[in-house]
């Protein structure tokens, strides 16, 4: 309870001065100050038990540099209005653990439930915890306060800005035929385990593909077309070893990883992204072939607890997915070096990230 120690010191000083000088005035002042001390103490104790607070974040997903609304809901159970109250909020980046404190000064809070709004601008992608740490409730003088501990938390996810990476796909990549349990919607293939469509016979069709039962029903030759698996010719490895000198690169590391995946998907290249999760002591792998999968991958990466690892994720990947071949291995490490197979394409600069990403073509 702020300032009570100071007030108690004043009371002792006034008593001492009254005793030394045998002054009625000093003793009366000491008595009145002591009454003020007791009244303020009990008023704050009372208010601590009659004030409740919580926060709401109307929109939990936002973009870099935009205002994010935070609603503070305060309930005053007492008929006595609260003339002064402060809400202390902490905004914490769950990835870098960077924190900043925000203070909301509220107007008079009468009996009932009241909603107040504030906003915060976040300039980096990631998950941010908005923590209502405490409410400072003041006495009738406005000089002394007590803290109502709340510790209510909400999360805002700031989506990254995608930077276009020039991507060119070779025929080998476009026509890669691998294992997959997901199939193309618009073109046929050669996977006998899945049927794409049944159509009329055309010149050049193989007799083995004729659907005899359907042909009998239609009184015309009908042909079975097999499905084409949506295979992934590219695997992007996020190779983070936990070297402290590269911690400052984490935001740029994620930005580059997201931009590469977005651009591969935009170019029509289904791919996997994989990284080592130290908490589970295992690889995490996400297939990127749609907007939903891209945003799911972004959410996982931003929530991941990046810790030091001595694992060679390419070796671990081959062990775990030995039956799933791929054409190209892309590796992005914590120093922002991008490799294709084992050859360096570029080492991105955190300060010139957008320029570097958009200027270097990835040929796959």
């Amino acid at each position: 309870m702020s300032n009570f120690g100071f007030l108690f010191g004043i009371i002792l000083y006034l008593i001492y001065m009254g005793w030394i000088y045998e002054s009625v005035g000093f003793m009366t002042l000491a008595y009145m100050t002591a009454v003020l001390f007791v009244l303020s103490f009990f008023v704050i104790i009372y208010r601590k038990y009659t004030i409740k607070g919580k926060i709401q974040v109307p929109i939990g997903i936002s973009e870099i540099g935009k205002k994010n609304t935070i609603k503070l809901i305060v309930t005053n159970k007492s008929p006595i209005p609260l003339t002064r109250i402060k809400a202390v909020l902490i905004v914490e980046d769950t990835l870098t653990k960077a924190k900043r404190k925000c203070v909301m000064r509220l107007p008079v809070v009468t009996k009932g439930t009241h909603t107040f709004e504030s906003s915060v601008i976040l300039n980096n992608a990631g998950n941010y915890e908005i923590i209502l740490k405490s409410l400072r409730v003041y006495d009738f003088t406005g000089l002394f306060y007590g803290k109502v501990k709340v510790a209510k938390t909400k999360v805002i996810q700031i989506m990254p800005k995608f930077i276009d990476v020039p991507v060119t796909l070779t025929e080998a990549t476009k026509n890669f035929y691998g294992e997959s349990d997901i199939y193309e919607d618009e073109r046929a293939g050669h996977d006998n385990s899945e049927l794409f469509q049944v159509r009329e016979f055309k010149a050049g069709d193989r007799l083995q593909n004729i659907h005899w039962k359907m042909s009998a029903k239609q009184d015309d030759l009908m042909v079975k077309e097999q499905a084409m698996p949506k295979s992934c010719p590219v695997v992007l490895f996020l190779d983070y070893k936990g070297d402290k000198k590269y911690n400052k690169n984490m935001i740029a590391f994620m930005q580059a990883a997201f931009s590469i995946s977005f651009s591969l998907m935009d170019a029509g290249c289904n791919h996997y992204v994989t990284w080592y999760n130290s908490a589970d002591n295992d690889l995490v792998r996400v297939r990127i072939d749609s907007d939903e999968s891209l945003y799911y991958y972004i959410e996982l990466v931003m929530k991941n607890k990046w810790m030091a690892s001595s694992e060679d994720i390419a070796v671990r990947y081959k062990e775990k997915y030995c039956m799933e071949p791929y054409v190209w291995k892309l590796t992005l490490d914590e120093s922002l070096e991008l490799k294709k197979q084992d050859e360096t394409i570029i080492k991105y600069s955190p300060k010139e990230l957008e320029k570097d990403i958009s200027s270097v073509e990835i040929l796959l």
Side-chain angles (χ1 to χ4, degrees):
M1 293 186 183
S2 179
N3 294 332
F4 275 106
F6 178 69
L7 183 61
F8 186 71
I10 291 177
I11 293 171
L12 292 180
Y13 175 76
L14 291 173
I15 292 173
Y16 173 76
M17 294 297 291
W19 178 68
I20 289 293
Y21 293 105
E22 298 182 354
S23 170
V24 176
F26 273 120
M27 295 303 291
T28 302
L29 188 57
Y31 172 76
M32 294 175 64
T33 306
V35 172
L36 174 63
F37 177 93
V38 173
L39 285 176
S40 295
F41 179 82
F42 281 106
V43 165
I44 288 178
I45 293 296
Y46 172 70
R47 285 182 169 171
K48 284 181 68 173
Y49 287 98
T50 57
I51 296 294
K52 303 293 180 183
K54 62 180 180 179
I55 54 173
Q56 289 182 349
V57 176
I59 301 176
I61 299 178
S62 186
E63 298 177 9
I64 294 172
K66 287 195 172 182
K67 284 186 178 181
N68 302 281
T69 301
I70 301 170
K71 290 187 176 182
L72 172 62
I73 301 172
V74 178
T75 301
N76 182 7
K77 297 180 181 179
S78 168
I80 305 172
L82 193 60
T83 56
R84 190 178 178 193
I85 182 172
K86 289 182 183 179
V88 180
L89 298 103
I90 303 296
V91 181
E92 179 178 355
D93 186 335
T94 58
L95 179 66
T96 64
K97 301 302 180 182
K99 298 179 181 180
R100 60 171 161 163
K101 184 169 74 171
C102 301
V103 177
M104 291 177 63
R105 293 174 172 82
L106 309 181
V108 175
V109 178
T110 57
K111 185 177 181 180
T113 300
H114 306 268
T115 301
F116 306 95
E117 288 190 2
S118 184
S119 62
V120 61
I121 297 175
L122 302 169
N123 295 315
N124 287 317
N127 290 316
Y128 291 83
E129 288 188 346
I130 312 298
I131 306 166
L132 176 57
K133 186 176 181 181
S134 65
L135 295 173
R136 291 182 181 179
V137 291
Y138 289 78
D139 71 342
F140 46 84
T141 68
L143 298 175
F144 310 101
Y145 69 85
K147 292 182 179 179
V148 179
K149 293 184 179 180
V150 185
K152 299 291 185 181
T153 303
K154 294 294 180 182
V155 175
I156 296 178
Q157 186 179 78
I158 304 300
M159 299 304 294
K161 176 185 176 183
F162 297 124
I163 305 168
D164 285 328
V165 182
V167 174
T168 300
L169 302 180
T170 61
E171 290 301 316
T173 302
K174 292 178 181 178
N175 299 319
F176 174 69
Y177 184 83
E179 296 291 330
S180 176
D181 56 0
I182 302 173
Y183 297 88
E184 296 281 358
D185 296 325
E186 298 180 358
R187 59 173 177 158
H190 307 287
D191 190 334
N192 294 324
S193 64
E194 190 77 12
L195 183 64
F196 176 67
Q197 67 174 355
V198 178
R199 59 168 175 80
E200 292 182 358
F201 182 86
K202 295 179 181 178
D205 286 336
R206 302 174 64 185
L207 294 178
Q208 295 94 319
N209 294 335
I210 294 177
H211 195 306
W212 294 108
K213 288 186 178 181
M214 186 65 71
S215 298
K217 289 181 180 180
Q218 297 292 331
D219 197 24
D220 197 2
L221 288 178
M222 305 297 291
V223 176
K224 294 181 290 186
E225 283 193 334
Q226 310 304 329
M228 170 68 81
K230 279 187 175 181
S231 51
C232 292
V234 178
V235 179
L236 173 61
F237 293 86
L238 304 183
D239 191 13
Y240 183 83
K241 297 296 186 185
D243 193 328
K244 291 183 179 179
K245 71 179 181 179
Y246 294 123
N247 283 351
K248 63 182 182 298
N249 289 349
M250 181 49 67
I251 300 297
F253 175 77
M254 291 195 305
Q255 183 88 42
F258 299 153
S259 296
I260 291 169
S261 278
F262 170 76
S263 299
L264 287 173
M265 187 188 72
D266 195 48
C269 180
N270 302 325
H271 61 285
Y272 287 116
V273 184
T274 187
W275 63 93
Y276 188 75
N277 187 332
S278 299
D280 297 331
N281 195 31
D282 198 4
L283 289 182
V284 178
R285 186 178 78 160
V286 180
R287 177 191 176 94
I288 311 297
D289 57 10
S290 64
D291 289 343
E292 291 77 10
S293 60
L294 178 68
Y295 289 120
Y296 174 66
Y297 146 61
I298 290 171
E299 182 179 3
L300 289 182
V301 168
M302 292 197 297
K303 286 182 177 179
N304 189 56
K305 305 297 183 184
W306 297 94
M307 300 168 63
S309 170
S310 58
E311 288 280 345
D312 186 324
I313 59 173
V315 172
R316 186 71 173 268
Y317 186 91
K318 285 185 178 180
E319 292 174 353
K320 187 171 182 178
Y321 304 104
C322 57
M323 301 301 293
E324 299 183 34
Y326 55 86
V327 180
W328 300 106
K329 177 181 76 172
L330 291 177
T331 306
L332 178 68
D333 66 23
E334 59 194 349
S335 71
L336 303 184
E337 184 176 14
L338 179 65
K339 293 181 179 180
K340 183 176 73 173
Q341 311 299 57
D342 293 317
E343 180 182 346
T344 299
I345 299 176
I346 186 175
K347 187 169 183 177
Y348 298 124
S349 166
K351 295 181 179 179
E352 300 289 337
L353 186 65
E354 186 167 353
K355 178 182 175 182
D356 288 350
I357 288 178
S358 60
S359 63
V360 176
E361 181 185 40
I362 300 177
L363 176 63
L364 299 170

